[in-house]
Amino acid sequence: ETGVTQTPRHLVMGMTNKKSLKCEQHLGHNAMYWYKQSAKKPLELMFVYSLEERVENNSVPSRFSPECPNSSHLFLHLHTLQPEDSALYLCASAGSWTGGYEQYFGPGTRLTVT
Amino acid sequence: AQSVAQPEDQVNVAEGNPLTVKCTYSVSGNPYLFWYVQYPNRGLQFLLKYITGDNLVKGSYGFEAEFNKSQTSFHLKKPSALVSDSALYFCAVRDMDDYKLSFGAGTTVTVRA
């Protein structure tokens, strides 16, 4: 798991707060992803970036705003969240967003919205 | 459209016994298939994948999976389970012409000593 790191590991925020999640990959990959993992539900793809260009916004509410300043770093900016946004947010990276490349995941940020 | 089904929410086996976690998939074209494992409070860890070639794929920690095109299945197997294999297992599929990876809901494996 040291290939993909995420900070913070835990975050509690109020509905009016603004916070950011950070992801860094040390694998030299070109693609990065944000996923949402809720209990008893399959992983939901939120955003995909390839070489810092966003290639997918999977109908995610605008209160989630991604940023990819370079191919090693990915952020998820959060504002005005709802309690149903509480979940584990996972970052992943892959050699490419196409082809048979496996994704490598970070440990996740456990987000609780109060 | 693509989808994955993991028909068992839970699998319980005794240590030393064979372990099988089932997965069936649906894609419109040819599939890329993956298995991941998740331990408590951790991210997903890649186990193995099928891209093309030999239908039997070997992966990490003694796991293997067999791609069966006619049955659209990709079951994960381990000949002799360990207590440390207790975790949540996810099957995932991607159509070769797509970039989205679709995950199953997961199967919780419990290996008792």
Side-chain angles (χ1 to χ4, degrees), chain A residues 43-106:
Chain A
L43 268 72
E44 300 173 49
L45 177 64
M46 300 176 71
F47 300 102
V48 181
Y49 276 83
S50 174
L51 293 171
E52 304 141 57
E53 297 280 334
R54 187 192 305 180
V55 297
E56 171 70 9
N57 174 0
N58 207 30
S59 302
V60 178
S62 60
R63 57 185 183 270
F64 295 91
S65 174
E67 178 189 1
C68 189
N70 56 62
S71 59
S72 298
H73 294 87
L74 186 65
F75 295 88
L76 188 62
H77 304 298
L78 316 171
H79 64 96
T80 324
L81 294 190
Q82 305 297 311
E84 60 265 28
D85 296 323
S86 298
L88 182 68
Y89 288 84
L90 293 166
C91 173
S93 71
S96 171
W97 66 297
T98 59
Y101 292 91
E102 62 273 20
Q103 294 177 21
Y104 290 86
F105 286 79

Side-chain angles (χ1 to χ4, degrees), chain B residues 55-69:
Chain B
N55 289 344
L56 183 63
V57 178
K58 294 188 183 296
S60 306
Y61 312 118
F63 284 96
E64 59 187 30
E66 186 163 12
F67 170 62
N68 188 318
K69 188 171 184 177

Side-chain angles (χ1 to χ4, degrees), chain A residues 1 9 33 35 37 41-43 45 48 55-56 58 88 90 97-107, chain B residues 32 34 36 38-39 41-46 49 51 88 90 94 96 98-106:
Chain A
E1 286 186 18
R9 293 293 305 274
Y33 307 78
Y35 286 90
Q37 185 179 25
K41 293 176 67 176
L43 268 72
L45 177 64
V48 181
V55 297
E56 171 70 9
N58 207 30
L88 182 68
L90 293 166
W97 66 297
T98 59
Y101 292 91
E102 62 273 20
Q103 294 177 21
Y104 290 86
F105 286 79
Chain B
Y32 293 133
F34 304 84
Y36 289 86
Q38 186 176 31
Y39 296 98
N41 302 313
R42 307 277 288 277
L44 276 67
Q45 188 174 331
F46 169 71
K49 66 180 179 182
I51 302 300
L88 181 57
F90 292 96
R94 212 179 89 229
M96 283 186 183
D98 201 345
Y99 62 88
K100 290 183 183 180
L101 189 60
S102 297
F103 287 84

Side-chain angles (χ1 to χ4, degrees), chain A residues 99, chain B residues 2 27 29-32 50-52 94-99:
Chain B
Q2 57 191 34
V27 294
N30 291 314
Y32 293 133
Y50 171 82
I51 302 300
T52 186
R94 212 179 89 229
D95 189 303
M96 283 186 183
D97 296 327
D98 201 345
Y99 62 88

Side-chain angles (χ1 to χ4, degrees), chain B residues 60-87:
Chain B
S60 306
Y61 312 118
F63 284 96
E64 59 187 30
E66 186 163 12
F67 170 62
N68 188 318
K69 188 171 184 177
S70 62
Q71 297 186 3
T72 62
S73 67
F74 190 57
H75 302 329
L76 181 70
K77 299 182 180 182
K78 186 171 183 179
S80 179
L82 301 172
V83 172
S84 57
D85 293 327
S86 299

